[in-house]
Amino acid sequence: MIPSVIPIVIPYGCQDIRDEDVAAVEAVLRSKWLTQGPAVPRFEEAVAAHCGASHAVAANNATSVLHLACMALDLKPGDSLWTTPNTFVASANCGRYCGASVDFVDIDRDSLNLDPIALAAKLEQADKAGKLPKVVVAVDFAGQSCDMTAICALADRYGFRIIEDASHAIGGRYQGQPIGNGRYADVTVFSFHPVKIITTGEGGMALSNNAELAVHMARLRSHGIRQNAAIQAAEGPWYYEQIELGFNYRMTDIQAALGLSQLARLDDYVAARRRLADRYDALLADLPLTTPWRDPVTASAWHLYVVQLHDASCRRAVFERLRAAGIGVNVHYIPVHLQPDYRRLGFVPGDFPVAENYYTRAITLPLYPGLSDAEQDQVVAALREALA
Ligand SMILES: *Cc1c(COP(=O)(O)O)cnc(C)c1O
């Protein structure tokens, strides 16, 4: 009998959960606080310290964090947000949550990140038309930092704010410094979804060196309510006040405990990913495909290892052969502007040709710290056979 669904033996990404993670979660479960307790601020402080940022705000997922960041940057109807088409939909949707319009800037064919040259050209046009963006979301695709110096120089010139969507990139470096240190972004966003570098089940965090933005994001995370000793001294110990419309985007202490435990292994995870990426490079060198670009000024966190087939016409067949062999390959990303919900807004094929061309060739191979060399060899053998 042929099974209708082929079991995936080697997934494209997988969390690493150890006994100490389970113990950390159990300790919270047996404590007084499942949420709004001490584990969340502890996790926030630890991530901020690890990355060299002044402030951190944890939330229930990175999509919520992107929304909080856009709100704190005062993105609203009539404004526009620009991002890359080569990302998960959340990087763009956050602008629409605020009623802003969303547009895209094509990618650089090497880094696969938002192309600063295309950005500069589009800004020049937008400036003439009086339609400059308020926010640019720069996405560190696959864990590889964007060209933040160039984007920052453009932000200084044209006055937009920068959200760095580093959902793929915690543990990565740019110019020798940790991604998230806030040198080139108003807000940096991390995701702790299980396929990302470290996990809290669901979870996300905003890092910023701007205290005002951080306080605002923290307040919006919890209904827009403010509560402090001075307010309570004036009105009574029960008192809190909602001063704007916020959400319940809180992270639980259960999640934060898992995140804190995982954070202790962040550097090991990134090192393991890098070793496997180097090994893929060597093992795939003779195949008709392009392996990921290497940039001397960044150290990728290696969330994803994406190969681009020289012959786009065989991508689907190669993908299906790999899946049939139990290899959980994936494709990152379908260009966001080609999603039906974005086509409804007027985007059409051909709008961002570099991202579209890249998409036709891309296959994401399995990469996670627990991937053994033998499993990696199996992936490479299956790919070799699929391409034969
Ligand atoms: C995963 C991801 C998100 C969303 O993260 P969640 O924590 O799942 O909400 C946003 N942007 C990018 C680039 C991502 O990969």
Side-chain angles (χ1 to χ4, degrees):
M1 203 183 86
I2 298 162
S4 56
V5 179
I6 298 138
I8 287 173
V9 182
I10 304 175
Y12 88 88
C14 186
Q15 69 275 15
D16 171 66
I17 300 295
R18 308 257 178 103
D19 289 348
E20 58 262 39
D21 298 328
V22 175
V25 168
E26 188 181 346
V28 169
L29 287 173
R30 295 187 186 285
S31 78
K32 247 166 66 180
W33 303 97
L34 300 189
T35 190
Q36 294 178 280
V40 169
R42 220 175 273 152
F43 182 40
E44 288 171 335
E45 280 157 30
V47 174
H50 192 94
C51 298
S54 321
H55 308 280
V57 178
N60 56 350
N61 58 63
T63 304
S64 299
V65 177
L66 286 162
H67 186 194
L68 293 173
C70 287
M71 286 182 79
L73 292 170
D74 196 33
L75 189 73
K76 50 187 191 304
D79 294 332
S80 69
L81 172 148
W82 292 2
T83 189
T84 165
N86 186 31
T87 187
F88 185 55
V89 291
S91 312
N93 289 345
C94 56
R96 295 172 61 195
Y97 296 154
C98 295
S101 67
V102 168
D103 203 349
F104 301 91
V105 177
D106 212 345
I107 61 172
D108 172 81
R109 67 186 72 244
D110 294 323
S111 70
L112 307 175
N113 282 329
L114 193 148
D115 178 0
I117 296 167
L119 177 61
K122 195 174 173 105
L123 285 165
E124 201 182 319
Q125 293 300 315
D127 194 18
K128 284 186 195 137
K131 288 182 173 167
L132 285 169
K134 184 179 261 183
V135 171
V136 169
V137 179
V139 181
D140 300 329
F141 177 72
Q144 172 80 52
S145 175
C146 291
D147 184 347
M148 294 309 293
T149 324
I151 295 169
C152 213
L154 291 167
D156 287 344
R157 176 156 171 204
Y158 291 101
F160 59 83
R161 310 297 292 272
I162 300 173
I163 298 174
E164 186 173 356
D165 182 349
S167 290
H168 299 180
I170 190 170
R173 290 183 164 257
Y174 177 64
Q175 296 174 339
Q177 316 248 355
I179 289 174
N181 73 356
R183 212 166 136 207
Y184 297 110
D186 294 285
V187 180
T188 303
V189 177
F190 293 138
S191 170
F192 307 127
H193 182 278
V195 298
K196 308 287 167 72
I197 310 281
I198 60 170
T199 190
T200 60
E202 293 275 359
M205 197 176 286
L207 297 196
S208 183
N209 292 336
N210 181 324
E212 206 176 312
L213 284 179
V215 166
H216 199 178
M217 287 189 286
R219 190 166 68 223
L220 289 166
R221 162 183 68 179
S222 206
H223 309 279
I225 283 175
R226 137 176 112 161
Q227 185 179 25
N228 63 38
I231 293 166
Q232 287 173 342
E235 290 288 333
W238 64 85
Y239 194 72
Y240 60 84
E241 54 188 15
Q242 180 182 329
I243 59 165
E244 64 183 328
L245 185 64
F247 299 85
N248 180 352
Y249 281 170
R250 289 188 302 261
M251 175 181 276
T252 66
D253 281 52
I254 305 165
Q255 293 166 303
L258 176 55
L260 195 54
S261 178
Q262 292 257 309
L263 183 66
R265 298 195 300 277
L266 172 60
D267 294 337
D268 295 342
Y269 285 155
V270 173
R273 287 174 176 277
R274 184 175 306 126
R275 189 188 75 83
L276 289 163
D278 290 346
R279 201 164 176 273
Y280 265 137
D281 278 5
L283 294 168
L284 300 173
D286 63 317
L287 292 179
L289 49 78
T290 303
T291 56
W293 181 67
R294 301 300 186 116
D295 175 8
V297 300
T298 68
S300 178
W302 289 108
H303 166 50
L304 301 174
Y305 189 93
V306 180
V307 296
Q308 294 175 64
L309 306 188
H310 291 169
D311 179 5
S313 71
C314 70
R315 196 266 302 266
R316 178 163 182 176
V318 170
F319 186 98
E320 287 179 342
R321 280 179 208 136
L322 287 164
R323 280 283 179 93
I327 313 295
V329 284
N330 214 315
V331 172
H332 297 92
Y333 284 99
I334 303 162
V336 177
H337 68 285
L338 297 183
Q339 293 291 345
D341 192 41
Y342 279 83
R343 291 198 194 199
R344 256 196 296 283
L345 299 173
F347 295 103
V348 294
D351 279 346
F352 304 101
V354 185
E356 291 171 28
N357 179 279
Y358 154 78
Y359 162 66
T360 64
R361 305 164 183 281
I363 297 182
T364 305
L365 302 183
L367 181 64
Y368 50 92
L371 182 73
S372 69
D373 288 4
E375 287 168 328
Q376 191 181 30
D377 291 342
Q378 199 182 322
V379 173
V380 172
L383 179 56
R384 191 174 289 282
E385 203 173 301
L387 279 163

